[in-house]
């Protein structure tokens, strides 16, 4: 799972470079062409009421993600007007156009200068005031990313536990499009219920103590939401089918 996705040209935030920059979050059109985004463990409870939560990654690292679309790069949760059409919006989306750049143990706040919502026309929220000091908005976004980074570390620990216990396995979802075409969605992983059920008691107790057992069952329950994105896909395709 690429960690930048819709980011194109990030630069460190500074009063010298961005003293007149404003952020105008008019819509979520920037996320219209992604079919999944990373999720933090702390978000899983809120996200599970609307999305399917699976896992993506490689041998080095795995992360929870929410499925936003079934075909190519289409996000079924952003409409033609750029409105996000679900109650919960993942933090990965809400933090845009900001992101942390890491160099060793130092994190630098950056902004995607290529995004259309970045402007010097005073539309939206300024990053710096006339004295070159951080605005309340920029301070709030910085705190949001700092908290997100802490949650990201916890999420990495949780996912490592799942991998070490051998609970994750490749998943494939078969579905039929409105026109009758059969397709499959792969490239993700899910927890194997049988392996989870057969874990030794001490391992289950460890997962329960850190709330990771609860998170795992939240993930498994969220798999029932796959029909939601399928229904959204069918609804989006309906006009073209007429």
């Amino acid at each position: 799972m690429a960690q930048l996705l819709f980011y194109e040209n990030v630069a460190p935030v500074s009063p010298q470079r961005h003293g007149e920059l404003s952020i105008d979050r008019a819509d979520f059109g920037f996320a219209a062409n992604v079919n999944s985004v990373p999720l933090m463990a702390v978000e899983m409870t809120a996200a599970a009421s609307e999305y399917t939560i699976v896992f993506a990654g490689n041998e080095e690292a795995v992360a929870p993600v929410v499925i936003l679309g079934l075909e190519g790069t289409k996000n079924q949760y952003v409409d033609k007007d750029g409105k996000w059409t679900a109650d919960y919006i993942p933090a990965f989306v809400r933090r845009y156009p900001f992101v942390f750049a890491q160099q060793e143990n130092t994190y630098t706040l950056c902004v995607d200068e290529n995004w259309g919502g970045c402007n010097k026309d005073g539309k939206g929220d300024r990053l710096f005031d006339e004295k070159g000091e951080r605005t309340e908005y920029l301070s709030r976004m910085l705190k949001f990313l700092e908290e997100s980074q802490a949650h990201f570390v916890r999420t990495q620990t949780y996912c490592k536990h799942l991998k070490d216990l051998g609970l994750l396995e490749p998943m494939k979802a078969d579905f039929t499009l409105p026109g009758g075409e059969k397709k499959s969605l792969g490239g993700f992983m899910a927890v194997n219920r049988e392996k989870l059920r057969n874990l030794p008691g001490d391992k289950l107790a460890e997962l329960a103590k850190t709330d990771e057992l609860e998170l795992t069952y939240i993930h498994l329950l969220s798999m029932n939401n796959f029909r939601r994105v399928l229904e959204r896909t069918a609804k989006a395709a309906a006009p073209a089918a007429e």
Side-chain angles (χ1 to χ4, degrees):
M1 171 61 63
Q3 288 299 303
L4 289 182
L5 291 179
F6 27 77
Y7 292 85
E8 296 180 2
N9 181 36
V10 298
V13 174
S14 70
Q16 293 77 22
R17 189 180 181 104
H18 304 112
E20 298 180 3
L21 193 70
S22 293
I23 302 298
D24 182 20
R25 177 62 60 75
D27 59 52
F28 292 93
F30 62 85
N33 296 317
V34 295
N35 67 357
S36 63
V37 294
L39 197 70
M40 293 179 292
V42 71
E43 300 180 87
M44 289 176 65
T45 300
S49 64
E50 299 181 279
Y51 305 97
T52 298
I53 302 171
V54 293
F55 295 86
N58 50 41
E59 289 300 317
E60 295 181 1
V62 173
V65 301
V66 290
I67 295 177
L68 302 175
L70 301 179
E71 290 190 283
T73 58
K74 175 60 179 174
N75 181 350
Q76 299 294 347
Y77 290 82
V78 174
D79 67 17
K80 59 182 178 61
D81 297 318
K83 180 182 178 182
W84 197 278
T85 58
D87 289 335
Y88 186 76
I89 304 173
F92 189 91
V93 176
R94 284 183 282 126
R95 76 180 187 180
Y96 187 77
F98 299 101
V99 67
F100 270 146
Q102 181 179 2
Q103 186 172 13
E104 296 182 352
N105 293 322
T106 302
Y107 294 89
T108 302
L109 183 66
C110 297
V111 64
D112 183 2
E113 296 179 327
N114 278 20
W115 179 46
C118 292
N119 69 90
K120 294 185 178 181
D121 302 321
K123 296 179 181 179
D125 297 289
R126 285 279 298 267
L127 301 190
F128 297 94
D129 61 22
E130 299 301 328
K131 297 181 180 180
E133 301 293 331
R134 292 177 190 162
T135 60
E136 189 275 334
Y137 168 73
L138 181 57
S139 295
R140 188 170 70 248
M141 291 306 300
L142 178 59
K143 182 179 180 181
F144 177 46
L145 266 75
E146 288 173 340
E147 292 174 346
S148 295
Q149 184 59 35
H151 288 304
F152 174 70
V153 173
R154 185 203 169 191
T155 304
Q156 285 183 309
T157 300
Y158 166 53
C159 292
K160 185 177 185 303
H161 288 167
L162 295 181
K163 285 186 64 178
D164 290 347
L165 292 170
L167 295 176
L168 293 175
E169 63 179 11
M171 63 158 281
K172 185 179 76 168
D174 298 317
F175 59 95
T176 303
L177 293 175
E181 184 180 2
K182 296 184 181 299
K183 289 203 170 188
S184 295
L185 179 69
F188 299 107
M189 291 172 280
V191 169
N192 183 301
R193 285 179 179 270
E194 191 66 24
K195 290 182 178 179
L196 177 64
R197 189 180 299 115
N198 291 326
L199 278 181
D202 60 327
K203 297 298 182 182
L204 283 171
E206 289 177 13
L207 289 175
K209 186 177 294 185
T210 58
D211 292 331
E212 292 177 348
L213 184 60
E214 179 181 359
L215 291 176
T216 303
Y217 278 114
I218 286 172
H219 147 65
L220 290 170
L221 285 171
S222 80
M223 301 295 280
N224 295 322
N225 288 329
F226 188 79
R227 62 176 176 78
R228 291 174 179 260
V229 71
L230 183 57
E231 289 168 356
R232 285 172 176 266
T233 303
K235 184 177 180 181
E242 293 178 355

